[in-house]
Amino acid sequence: AISRLGFLISFSGADRALRRYLLSPFPSRPGDSPGGAEMEGGSMTVEVEASLSVMLLSPDGLTLFTGSVDGEVTARCAQTLGMVHRFPPPLAPGGAPVLSLALSPCRNFLLVGTADGRVAVCTARQAFVDNQRHVLTALGIDSVL
């Protein structure tokens, strides 16, 4: 994932490490060509508990959402990679792997798709969910967290 703030964020399944690099569009040494983004010294590594299967950056580049092979979904600060919120597990019975994440345009709803075909909506606005439960059910959305 690449943040509009200039961060490149990657995950390595081999060592379960989430890494953030600071990208610079400017040459770091005289004679280097501009435009080829380089990874500078502003890198950091954070170990995570589970193997990640999907990542999504918020439009403002401040929040990184991650989904794992064991069904866990978390929100992290994109600058520090520190966990901000862990959504209640499991999203699906048996902890099916998270395959997709999508953020609504208003940024109030995170849609989570799992390998068993389920879709969950994560939101802090429970009143909305309670009022719209019949619509969500008709759309095939199984759970709201």
Side-chain angles (χ1 to χ4, degrees):
I2 299 177
S3 163
R4 60 192 235 171
L5 300 175
F7 298 121
L8 170 80
I9 300 173
S10 67
F11 173 73
S12 166
D15 56 0
R16 290 189 174 173
L18 197 55
R19 292 186 173 84
R20 187 214 66 190
Y21 302 94
L22 177 61
L23 298 176
S24 172
F26 305 104
S28 58
R29 297 179 299 271
D32 286 351
S33 61
E38 297 180 14
M39 293 181 202
E40 293 190 341
S43 66
M44 70 170 36
T45 300
V46 173
E47 289 185 30
V48 293
E49 296 173 12
S51 290
L52 301 183
S53 52
V54 64
M55 294 188 299
L56 171 72
L57 271 170
S58 63
D60 60 11
L62 298 176
T63 306
L64 175 71
F65 297 96
T66 61
S68 71
V69 296
D70 62 0
E72 182 177 274
V73 176
T74 61
R76 296 178 173 274
C77 172
Q79 291 182 319
T80 66
L81 300 180
M83 190 178 309
V84 175
H85 183 73
R86 183 178 304 209
F87 293 93
L91 288 173
V98 176
L99 298 182
S100 61
L101 297 171
L103 197 58
S104 68
C106 65
R107 296 183 288 180
N108 290 327
F109 306 99
L110 177 68
L111 279 77
V112 179
T114 59
D116 61 1
R118 294 176 184 254
V119 176
V121 177
C122 301
T123 181
R125 299 191 173 199
Q126 191 60 43
F128 170 85
V129 172
D130 291 340
N131 291 333
Q132 300 298 320
R133 175 94 39 211
H134 65 285
V135 174
L136 297 171
T137 302
L139 291 172
I141 295 173
D142 299 308
S143 60
V144 180
L145 305 173

